[in-house]
Amino acid sequence: MPFASLACISTLLLLFSSLHASSSAASVGRALLPGQCRSQPGDSTFPSTSQWAALNASVDGRLVTAVPTAKLCQNNGCTAEDWQSSIWRAALPGAMNSNNWEQDYAGNSSMCLLTVNTTTCNQGRVPLFAINATTPAHLQAGVRFAAQHNLRVAIKASGHDFLGRSTAKDSLLLWTQYFKQKTFSDNYRIGNKSYGSTVTVGSGVGLRDLYGAAKVEGKIFVGGTAYTVVAAGGYSQGGGHSAFSPILGLAVDNAVQYNIVLANGEYVEANEFSHPDLFWALRGGGAGSWGVITSVTYKTFDIFQATIHQTVIRTNTSTMSGQLMAAHARHIFDLDDLHAGQYFYLSGTPTNSSLSLSTLVKGVSGSTLIARMKPFLDDARALGAEVLPEITVTATPNEIIATADFGIESVVAGAAATAPGEVLPFQDDVSGQNLILGSRLIPDAAYRGNVDHFGTAVTEILKSGVPGFLGHMVSGGKVAENANLSVALTPKWRTAKTHMLLSQTWLDSTPPALVEQIRHNFTFNSMPLLINLTGESDSGAYSSEADVLEPNYQTTFFGPNYPRLSTIKSKYDPNDLFIVGAGVGSERWDAAGMCRK
Ligand SMILES: Cc1cc2nc3c(=O)[nH]c(=O)nc-3n(C[C@H](O)[C@H](O)[C@H](O)COP(=O)(O)OP(=O)(O)OC[C@H]3O[C@@H](n4cnc5c(N)ncnc54)[C@H](O)[C@@H]3O)c2cc1C
Ligand SMILES: *[C@@H]1O[C@H](CO)[C@@H](O)[C@H](O)[C@H]1NC(C)=O
Ligand SMILES: *[C@@H]1O[C@H](CO)[C@@H](O)[C@H](O)[C@H]1NC(C)=O
Ligand SMILES: *[C@@H]1O[C@H](CO)[C@@H](O)[C@H](O)[C@H]1NC(C)=O
Ligand SMILES: *[C@@H]1O[C@H](CO)[C@@H](O)[C@H](O)[C@H]1NC(C)=O
Ligand SMILES: *[C@@H]1O[C@H](CO)[C@@H](O)[C@H](O)[C@H]1NC(C)=O
Ligand SMILES: *[C@@H]1O[C@H](CO)[C@@H](O)[C@H](O)[C@H]1NC(C)=O
Ligand SMILES: *[C@@H]1O[C@H](CO)[C@@H](O)[C@H](O)[C@H]1NC(C)=O
Ligand SMILES: *[C@@H]1O[C@H](CO)[C@@H](O)[C@H](O)[C@H]1NC(C)=O
Ligand SMILES: *[C@@H]1O[C@H](CO)[C@@H](O)[C@H](O)[C@H]1NC(C)=O
Ligand SMILES: *[C@@H]1O[C@H](CO)[C@@H](O)[C@H](O)[C@H]1NC(C)=O
């Protein structure tokens, strides 16, 4: 994590080295005491070249060095298109989609940056080595080696993580991008219980790939609006929302089984019969804290026809933008009977701002949807806002989810809203920016009654320096009906009407001290304005699209489930091998996950 104090780590290292003189070969490692650290280069206990070579041999020669993207570009050259491509990044063990997570702002080993001329390229927060795993045995070998040598580990599928959790300084990366299984079943059984139609998907398969394969089978699953986000990686452990969640529920509501390598090196199935406590934790208990997933089995549904409605609403004063958001809030329940999903995002400048709307509904015609959108759009026009031409497309959800993509990252750049027009499936996810998010689940109750203050709050948020404001109407309906499912996901999802997120960005040339100020302002000045909209003192947020510096993450991300998650963590990972920022158990560790507090 970015703000670890280097001086502190060095002091602790001295203490640690003396305590770690004899490294036993115990395959499950051991717990560190407060003040002790993971083994780092230069430490006498750090694996020797021959030990790394032995690991390499045990994983069929699949140990690779992890290179920061900027260093790779400096050495090998790369294009601006490469830099911004999530597909390019997904194939690189050292790459994160938001490159700020590769950077070590707090340490004195910042990596070089593509857009800033530097002479040295250091490793930053990028792992040292990665296992390019294709079998559970590769991951088991990696887990055992890390435990034996007291190494910091990181787990990565795509590198999309908005909290920087899939990379860690001086770590061994367990990389699952090449688990490419896609197995459809008409009647999936565990023991003698039948789960009907499912897909078992490897923890390297991107959503776009899976939508295509599911369409061929005549099926849809609960997936997000993204190209390379991995259905069986962070998406699932966070909860997993979709524009069709109001009809189908969240991803975790439909997960039937996880295949996972545990901290002790065992490879197990977690389902309602086998390791049911772990199965509970994996469904919403936060990404990267439980083990290394190789596949998830999800229920699938028969494909159906759905319609997407898109438009852009332009405003030219911040007051008008605020009034527009208040009008949007007043109409938030208009499509409840249709179980509609919607993405809405406000971007631009105060004098030229755009609200982009994508509304997705099952089994409704384009003309019906246009009629149902009319009351809100008429109110928008009455405020003096300009409503651009509306478009609708009717197709399978597999196809239309692709057209709904606004590119969350583009909000950050203050990019123009997507103008409606020709509908093209998106070809990639925008990457290669310095990007952080913060979010809140806005309860249904907050929208009942007078919502004029939504407008004031949005205006204040934009004034605080946040370039974009992205709302998701992806709950209610089936998500609320599933309230009694026993999963680790915060129950705030079940009473939420929207999931709203703010974003912040900075240039590569921004000095580290200023980055720290920008982040501080985001967390402590801008986020409270969003939190206020919840009207709650114990508000909740979606852990996969959130701020890693969230002050009270235990409650905010996991609510009343945190104590049970802690207990399950101690059972399955007693030595905290799998520690991520703002994840279960991370309160025992420094921000880098390197040293025990
Ligand atoms: C363009 C874009 C669109 C998005 N749209 C949606 C959306 O519509 N709905 C939604 O819910 N979310 C969405 N997200 C958020 C997404 O769910 C998270 O970023 C998620 O963490 C990505 O998971 P990943 O495994 O692909 O990423 P990674 O960065 O590889 O990993 C994310 C986290 O999962 C852990 N992890 C990865 N692989 C494994 C594994 N095999 N075993 C155990 N842990 C693992 C990592 O350690 C890390 O903590 C979107 C993100 C982006 C960038
Ligand atoms: C691992 O072994 C393979 C095959 O021998 C080799 O090509 C590769 O460079 C080795 N990896 C590392 C990190 O040395
Ligand atoms: C960081 O490294 C530079 C160049 O090696 C050196 O001049 C500087 O003193 C270092 N700063 C700290 C805080 O260690
Ligand atoms: C980097 O170097 C190039 C060529 O020397 C120069 O044109 C450019 O302005 C430099 N960029 C920065 C940010 O200093
Ligand atoms: C990882 O393994 C896959 C599958 O064997 C291969 O296609 C890919 O090139 C490898 N990537 C790296 C960086 O080693
Ligand atoms: C299914 O298996 C369980 C446990 O093995 C058993 O108790 C139950 O009777 C079985 N049910 C059927 C329908 O076979
Ligand atoms: C603001 O937008 C409205 C509607 O598009 C337009 O009529 C008006 O002229 C604009 N005002 C300014 C100052 O640009
Ligand atoms: C407003 O922003 C849109 C989208 O960025 C742009 O196309 C348009 O030219 C801008 N209008 C003005 C008056 O700046
Ligand atoms: C959940 O269970 C409780 C207690 O049985 C019940 O009162 C409530 O209606 C259920 N909620 C839902 C959404 O089914
Ligand atoms: C942080 O917020 C303070 C107080 O609002 C402001 O004065 C300062 O300019 C902001 N700093 C940055 C880097 O945005
Ligand atoms: C929170 O919102 C209320 C309106 O609901 C407003 O009166 C109050 O000033 C806001 N508080 C903060 C700290 O923004």
Side-chain angles (χ1 to χ4, degrees):
M1 294 292 107
F3 302 125
S5 150
L6 188 73
C8 166
I9 290 177
S10 311
T11 314
L12 293 170
L13 253 177
L14 283 175
L15 173 67
F16 169 71
S17 306
S18 61
L19 287 165
H20 194 249
S22 69
S23 144
S24 86
S27 66
V28 294
R30 59 181 177 77
L32 297 190
L33 299 172
Q36 294 183 327
C37 301
R38 297 288 177 209
S39 195
Q40 292 154 76
D43 183 340
S44 64
T45 61
F46 193 75
S48 64
T49 307
S50 63
Q51 286 169 325
W52 283 111
L55 172 66
N56 194 7
S58 75
V59 297
D60 301 327
R62 303 187 69 85
L63 188 72
V64 296
T65 52
V67 182
T69 49
K71 185 175 184 174
L72 190 92
C73 290
Q74 196 191 51
N75 293 347
N76 304 353
C78 63
T79 64
E81 288 72 28
D82 289 340
W83 185 255
Q84 290 164 13
S85 164
S86 74
I87 298 167
W88 181 76
R89 286 177 185 270
L92 299 172
M96 291 293 286
N97 284 258
S98 301
N99 48 281
N100 48 302
W101 302 119
E102 296 180 36
Q103 180 70 273
D104 182 14
Y105 292 102
N108 196 20
S109 64
S110 292
M111 66 171 197
C112 62
L113 291 159
L114 190 69
T115 52
V116 179
N117 299 329
T118 49
T119 48
T120 50
C121 292
N122 295 319
Q123 196 67 12
R125 285 181 77 247
V126 174
L128 300 169
F129 295 102
I131 297 176
N132 184 1
T134 54
T135 66
H138 296 150
L139 298 169
Q140 291 176 290
V143 161
R144 292 191 174 117
F145 184 84
Q148 183 184 345
H149 294 280
N150 187 34
L151 294 176
R152 173 88 170 96
V153 299
I155 311 169
K156 187 171 79 164
S158 72
H160 258 307
D161 199 60
F162 289 118
L163 296 85
R165 296 172 298 184
S166 39
T167 189
K169 188 178 166 76
D170 289 340
S171 67
L172 169 62
L173 180 70
L174 306 171
W175 187 36
T176 64
Q177 175 64 212
Y178 291 93
F179 282 81
K180 296 293 194 188
Q181 180 188 4
K182 290 178 295 237
T183 309
F184 291 84
S185 168
D186 289 334
N187 186 14
Y188 191 78
R189 299 178 77 84
I190 300 175
N192 59 14
K193 181 163 174 181
S194 175
Y195 293 85
S197 137
T198 61
V199 61
T200 298
V201 59
S203 54
V205 179
L207 287 171
R208 182 90 179 134
D209 181 2
L210 194 57
Y211 281 124
K215 193 187 163 213
V216 172
E217 301 286 327
K219 297 293 178 185
I220 181 69
F221 58 95
V222 176
T225 303
Y227 197 110
T228 56
V229 163
V230 162
Y235 175 77
S236 179
Q237 297 165 84
H241 64 74
S242 156
F244 293 100
S245 286
I247 302 167
L248 305 175
L250 296 165
V252 291
D253 300 351
N254 293 291
V256 167
Q257 177 168 303
Y258 292 75
N259 282 29
I260 182 169
V261 173
L262 302 178
N264 67 4
E266 269 184 70
Y267 181 54
V268 303
E269 294 175 347
N271 55 46
E272 63 175 303
F273 308 107
S274 166
H275 305 91
D277 48 358
L278 181 62
F279 181 53
W280 178 85
L282 283 163
R283 289 174 295 161
S289 303
W290 311 102
V292 197
I293 296 165
T294 60
S295 67
V296 179
T297 302
Y298 290 111
K299 287 183 189 160
T300 58
F301 305 89
D302 289 340
I303 213 162
F304 48 80
Q305 291 290 295
T307 297
I308 183 169
H309 171 285
Q310 289 187 297
T311 189
V312 172
I313 306 172
R314 291 208 196 284
T315 58
N316 52 17
T317 66
S318 47
T319 307
M320 197 192 289
S321 296
Q323 287 169 340
L324 178 64
M325 293 316 295
H328 182 266
R330 275 196 299 277
H331 286 279
I332 201 81
F333 302 112
D334 284 7
L335 304 177
D336 271 14
D337 60 320
L338 301 177
H339 285 192
Q342 186 180 75
Y343 302 115
F344 52 101
Y345 98 91
L346 190 65
S347 63
T349 62
T351 55
N352 183 13
S353 190
S354 299
L355 178 70
S356 288
L357 275 185
S358 277
T359 309
L360 296 83
V361 186
K362 174 187 175 182
V364 163
S365 70
S367 55
T368 301
L369 196 45
I370 284 177
R372 296 296 301 269
M373 293 298 293
K374 192 168 183 297
F376 166 56
L377 297 178
D378 281 349
D379 276 9
R381 289 183 190 100
L383 294 169
E386 183 190 4
V387 179
L388 298 189
E390 298 162 66
I391 57 156
T392 63
V393 176
T394 298
T396 67
N398 309 48
E399 293 157 313
I400 71 171
I401 281 178
T403 71
D405 184 51
F406 290 130
I408 288 174
E409 294 88 344
S410 63
V411 173
V412 166
T418 314
E422 196 183 355
V423 175
L424 290 172
F426 59 95
Q427 299 300 321
D428 203 341
D429 300 325
V430 178
S431 297
Q433 300 183 59
N434 300 297
L435 170 63
I436 54 170
L437 303 182
S439 68
R440 276 299 179 277
L441 294 163
I442 312 295
D444 188 282
Y447 283 96
R448 310 275 172 192
N450 185 351
V451 290
D452 287 348
H453 65 280
F454 271 63
T456 326
V458 169
T459 305
E460 288 299 311
I461 287 166
L462 297 175
K463 278 190 194 157
S464 81
V466 167
F469 185 99
L470 176 62
H472 305 69
M473 193 168 81
V474 289
S475 56
K478 190 70 177 171
V479 177
E481 288 161 28
N482 285 344
N484 287 340
L485 282 183
S486 180
V487 294
L489 186 79
T490 174
K492 294 289 182 188
W493 263 108
R494 307 302 178 182
T495 50
K497 187 63 198 164
T498 61
H499 155 50
M500 289 215 197
L501 62 85
L502 311 183
S503 59
Q504 187 54 282
T505 185
W506 55 88
L507 298 173
D508 288 342
S509 55
T510 308
L514 192 53
V515 169
E516 188 161 358
Q517 265 188 50
I518 290 168
R519 295 195 63 180
H520 186 274
N521 278 4
F522 182 78
T523 305
F524 297 104
N525 296 347
S526 302
M527 278 301 293
L529 300 166
L530 178 65
I531 294 167
N532 189 25
L533 276 186
T534 67
E536 297 175 323
S537 57
D538 62 343
S539 60
Y542 177 38
S543 68
S544 278
E545 294 178 319
D547 183 0
V548 73
L549 301 182
E550 187 64 62
N552 189 15
Y553 67 86
Q554 293 95 333
T555 303
T556 304
F557 294 166
F558 309 109
N561 293 332
Y562 198 76
R564 185 172 175 210
L565 284 166
S566 274
T567 304
I568 295 170
K569 174 79 176 168
S570 305
K571 176 177 167 189
Y572 285 95
D573 185 15
N575 300 336
D576 284 347
L577 188 66
F578 305 117
I579 288 295
V580 296
V584 175
S586 64
E587 66 275 6
R588 290 186 284 275
W589 292 81
D590 67 0
M594 188 57 87
C595 298
R596 274 292 314 274
K597 277 184 185 160

